[in-house]
Structures are given as structure tokens and as C-alpha cells.
Amino acid sequence: MHNKIVKLGLIGLGSRGRGLTRNLVHIDGIEIVALCDINPAFFDELSEFFDKSQIQKPDFYTDYNEFLARSDIEGVVIATNWITHIPLAIAAMKAGKYVGVEVGGAASIDECWQLVRVSEETKIPCMLLENCCYGKYELMVFNMIKKGLFGEVVHCECGYGHDLRGLAGRKNNRLYNNMHRNGDLYPTHGVGPIAKMLNINRGNRFVSITSMASKAVGLKDWIKKHKDTDYELVNFDFVKGDVVQSLIKCAHGETVLVTHNVTLPRPYSRFNVVHGTNGIYMEDKKGIFIDGKTEDEKWDCIDDYFDEYGHPLWKEFEASGVKGGHGGMDPLTLKAFADSVRNKTQTPIDVYDTATWMAITVLSEQSIYTGSSPIAFPDFTNGKWIDREESVKSIYSLDDVYPKDS
Ligand SMILES: NC(=O)c1ccc[n+]([C@@H]2O[C@H](COP(=O)([O-])OP(=O)(O)OC[C@H]3O[C@@H](n4cnc5c(N)ncnc54)[C@H](O)[C@@H]3O)[C@@H](O)[C@H]2O)c1
């Protein structure tokens, strides 16, 4: 039990925001004092939820300026649609609140710089709530890299493979982006964990990106199969290619292949691959091969490595009974954010990570629109990446578990 309750508010009460609210109230040491959405449609449902759960009900707002003017809110979770993430995060930091912002890509490089500048000026942290950084396998592979199991890492792959063709039937921000933008619209589920594994912005950085998009026919095909002939998008030519791939080069020579693939039929995958001088991990095979350990030309099952290499944080979480959204990733992410707010410390995913990962959407568009030319990555740390600590003191710093001189 924490002796200091941290007071949080949440903006954006769509399906994600309501799910996060339900997760947050069950995490020890958090009180939700205010909720905000321009559309009050879900205020009654949430109000009932708090009543039924016998938890102190928050106040509801339709104007985020009034919400942010409350002095008791210490941290704000933003779960609105993509193009509002950065403007709202900036407003919240200016109001002195820690920011935890949901995932999505940026709309411009300029807004990424604004995010960084405001965080630096206000000294308020901004954490992308990239829950996949807290995935069981992502954390385990991170741990394996730090313990040297893969030797020197040479190449990684990651991305987002999810059959979301149904989006063609729902008028919302995600659909509009697929209609009008050709790039990796959702890079951070894949890139976040890999960036942590490669110490991006902490001794290493992304230096350039080259992207290519396939033709765009998946959504048109889905509409033809599922909608009436008078559906307004029946003849619409979507701009975003069905498969967008980006190859990122790192300062220390590693390459990272990032795939965005959401408009063709397929099972879910984050395409994770880590390949080093001692071996390889491949998510889609649930497989790992370690030179000299695994039988030649075979894959070991990654689960057989959990006892030895499972991340201490996940082991502790499993021992206490995994619960909460997305197989447990969501509560771990929210808890990490709330702990930083409570302790007034840096967030484990900081503003430089947030800007770098979100920028991939814009940089991939720039590359695609210039015939896959390489685009230089902005250095949002302004040179600080060279000698920043390998990892801020956080779940990603394993110093407590494996002290440096061991
Ligand atoms: N991390 C994950 O696994 C995960 C999963 C699902 C969604 N998401 C992210 O969560 C976010 C929300 O997704 P969703 O499906 O709930 O979207 P949604 O469109 O259903 O909900 C967004 C809500 O934000 C509100 N809103 C927009 N602008 C606002 C403003 N200025 N002030 C107050 N409220 C505002 C809208 O009225 C709407 O209710 C997206 O960024 C999405 O990418 C993340």
C-alpha cells in the first residue's frame, strides 16, 4: 500500500480511454479525480461504473482547459485521437501536469520538436504509454540482450500486423488517416521495445530511414465484399499502401526493419526479430536459436528460456497473478507512469523516446513521397544521446538486478 495516493485525470473517453479508466482504478495508490471528453456520451456509463465499484466518483469535463486548470491533478493520461495527442500533451505540461500519452504517430516533425521543447522548458516529463514495451516477451528479450545471450546485436525487425480492415466501415480518425496518408501510421508498438533494446537516445540513435509502400487494395476489396454498392467509399482509392516497410539505420550500425500491415487478412503479430552474433529470436516462430546451445538448424521454444531469462518485473507480476488489459501490459505501463508521477522522477519512456518513435510516421511518409529516398532522423536529444546514461533508472535499468561490476 502506497502512503501517497497519486491524483490522475484522463482526457478522451472512447473505447481505449474507458478501458484505461477501468484499469487505473484497480491499481494500488491511484485516484482518478477528473475525466474529460468533448463528447459527453459516456459520462453516465462511467459514472455508473464508479458508483458500482464503490469508488469516489471523478468530476466530468467537456473542456480540457477547465480540466487542466484543476490544481489537484498531478498527471494526465491522454487517450484521444492521433492528431490531438501532441497539442493536448503540450497544454498539460504547460499546466504543470505529468503526461502519459496514448500511442499513435505524429502529424509533423515540427510538433515533435514542440513537444520536446515544452518538456525541456517546463521540466515536466512526457511518457508515450507504449504498453508493448511491457510485454512479457519484449521484456524477456530485452533481458537476454543485456545478459549478452545474443552477443552483439546486428539487426532487428518489428512492426504491427493486425487485420483492421473493418476500419473501412467506421468513420473515425484511423480511417481518415488510411484514406489520406501513406506511411507507417502506427509504428510505436514495434519500435518502442526495439529502441529500448538498442539503447536509442541513450548511447545510440536512429540516423536515417528509408520506406516503401505496396499498392493499396485491401480496404477497397473489403468494402466490395462487406458493404452495399451505394456505400460512399465503394470506389475510393485509399492512399496508404497495404504493407509499408521502413528500414532504419542506427548510429552504431544496427538495422531495424519496421512493418505496418493492417489492411490485409492475417493473424496478429509485432514481427519481432533480434539477430546478433550469438543467435536469433523470432516472435512468429516463438523461437530462439543460440549458437552452440540450440541443435543445428532447429528452433528452441522461447518459453523454455523464461525461468532463466524472464524479466524480474514480469516474474513478479506473474507471481501476483497477471491481470488487466492486453495480457497485463496495460497495468504495468500505467503503474510505471503513476510511480513516476508519485515520486516526481523521470518517466521510463521519456519525451525524447516519445518524439523519436512518433516521428517515424512523418519520416516514412517523407521517404515514400520522395521515391523511398533516405530521410535523416532528427536528433531530438540535441546531441545528448552520445553520453546519456544507458538507461534511466526505471524498469529498463537492470542495474539493481545485475549490478555493473557483476
Ligand atoms: N496502446 C494500445 O494498445 C491502444 C489500444 C487501442 C487504442 N489506443 C490508442 O488510444 C487512442 C484512443 O483510441 P480510441 O479507439 O478510444 O479512439 P476514439 O476515437 O474512440 O476515442 C477518442 C475520444 O477522444 C475524444 N476527444 C477527441 N479530441 C478531444 C479533445 N480535444 N478533448 C477531449 N476529448 C477529445 C473523442 O470525443 C473520443 O471520445 C488512440 O490514440 C489509439 O491509437 C491504444
Side-chain angles (χ1 to χ4, degrees):
M1 191 68 179
H2 295 286
N3 46 23
K4 182 177 181 312
I5 301 291
V6 62
K7 295 191 174 181
L8 302 181
L10 194 137
I11 312 180
L13 304 174
S15 59
R16 182 63 177 163
R18 299 198 303 284
L20 290 174
T21 304
R22 292 191 179 89
N23 269 293
L24 281 163
V25 298
H26 290 117
I27 300 173
D28 189 26
I30 293 178
E31 185 186 344
I32 307 280
V33 292
L35 294 172
C36 172
D37 198 303
I38 41 175
N39 176 358
F42 293 103
F43 288 1
D44 286 348
E45 177 192 314
L46 282 160
S47 190
E48 240 174 72
F49 162 74
F50 278 87
D51 282 345
K52 273 197 188 136
S53 312
Q54 296 183 315
I55 299 169
Q56 172 74 37
K57 204 172 1 195
D59 296 322
F60 290 88
Y61 296 84
T62 49
D63 178 345
Y64 75 83
N65 286 308
E66 278 175 33
F67 164 97
L68 289 174
R70 278 180 72 130
S71 59
D72 59 343
I73 300 176
E74 298 166 86
V76 173
V77 171
I78 298 168
T80 54
N81 36 34
W82 297 341
I83 56 163
T84 57
H85 286 176
I86 290 183
L88 288 171
I90 287 174
M93 285 190 283
K94 285 187 173 167
K97 325 288 187 200
Y98 267 59
V99 172
V101 60
E102 256 305 344
V103 300
S108 71
I109 296 302
D110 181 59
E111 68 165 0
C112 295
W113 275 115
Q114 287 179 40
L115 187 79
V116 168
R117 299 280 189 248
V118 170
S119 178
E120 287 175 344
E121 280 159 24
T122 57
K123 300 196 169 27
I124 303 284
C126 173
M127 172 174 173
L128 189 75
L129 296 173
E130 186 35 84
N131 44 349
C132 297
C133 287
Y134 292 81
K136 176 177 178 174
Y137 294 100
E138 281 89 344
L139 281 173
M140 174 154 66
V141 173
F142 172 87
N143 199 11
M144 288 170 157
I145 291 175
K146 299 299 158 192
K147 288 179 117 182
L149 190 67
F150 294 105
E152 189 170 344
V153 176
V154 175
H155 173 78
C156 296
E157 296 178 17
C158 61
Y160 189 57
H162 195 180
D163 183 353
L164 297 176
R165 287 172 297 160
L167 69 85
R170 290 189 293 273
K171 281 192 184 171
N172 63 23
N173 197 243
R174 203 186 270 261
L175 172 64
Y176 301 145
N177 275 268
N178 274 271
M179 287 167 73
H180 301 295
R181 297 180 74 186
N182 198 3
D184 186 330
L185 299 181
Y186 212 59
T188 71
H189 279 343
V191 164
I194 296 291
K196 287 295 184 184
M197 293 173 199
L198 295 176
N199 301 321
I200 298 304
N201 296 330
R202 293 172 188 79
N204 198 0
R205 81 175 190 93
F206 293 149
V207 291
S208 70
I209 179 168
T210 307
S211 305
M212 193 177 285
S214 73
K215 61 172 139 184
V217 292
L219 291 177
K220 199 168 187 175
D221 177 77
W222 185 90
I223 289 170
K224 286 227 157 69
K225 288 173 180 159
H226 293 89
K227 290 285 180 187
D228 294 334
T229 47
D230 60 350
Y231 183 54
E232 61 181 296
L233 294 179
V234 80
N235 288 317
F236 189 85
D237 287 318
F238 286 83
V239 165
K240 196 196 67 63
D242 291 320
V243 181
V244 174
Q245 291 197 295
S246 304
L247 201 50
I248 300 176
K249 182 81 176 171
C250 302
H252 289 179
E254 303 90 344
T255 42
V256 182
L257 176 66
V258 190
T259 300
H260 183 256
N261 177 344
V262 299
T263 47
L264 296 174
R266 55 156 305 115
Y268 184 91
S269 176
R270 295 201 283 276
F271 305 118
N272 278 312
V273 172
V274 171
H275 207 173
T277 51
N278 282 355
I280 180 167
Y281 161 66
M282 192 177 284
E283 174 191 351
D284 282 346
K285 281 195 177 296
K286 267 203 147 201
I288 180 166
F289 176 93
I290 300 298
D291 204 15
K293 184 172 163 108
T294 312
E295 200 184 323
D296 273 357
E297 301 297 326
K298 295 263 165 61
W299 291 93
D300 287 339
C301 176
I302 185 79
D303 288 324
D304 295 340
Y305 284 63
F306 185 70
D307 282 351
E308 195 174 348
Y309 292 103
H311 192 287
L313 182 87
W314 194 276
K315 285 188 166 174
E316 188 190 310
F317 186 51
E318 243 180 31
S320 69
V322 169
K323 45 194 173 302
H326 286 127
M329 300 189 304
D330 290 354
L332 281 176
T333 312
L334 294 168
K335 188 174 171 317
F337 173 65
D339 285 350
S340 305
V341 181
R342 178 181 300 106
N343 301 325
K344 298 286 171 273
T345 50
Q346 183 51 270
T347 48
I349 296 166
D350 64 17
V351 75
Y352 302 117
D353 301 325
T354 303
T356 303
W357 306 350
M358 290 181 78
I360 289 169
T361 298
V362 182
L363 299 170
S364 62
E365 281 182 291
Q366 290 176 359
S367 179
I368 288 165
Y369 286 127
T370 53
S372 301
S373 55
I375 305 292
F377 239 93
D379 171 14
F380 292 109
T381 73
N382 259 318
K384 293 193 281 289
W385 66 275
I386 297 171
D387 58 2
R388 284 179 89 213
E389 263 193 79
E390 188 181 287
S391 205
V392 286
K393 204 82 185 153
S394 71
I395 73 139
Y396 284 105
S397 166
L398 298 182
D399 290 356
D400 296 337
V401 188
Y402 312 115
K404 282 208 168 74
D405 52 0
S406 69

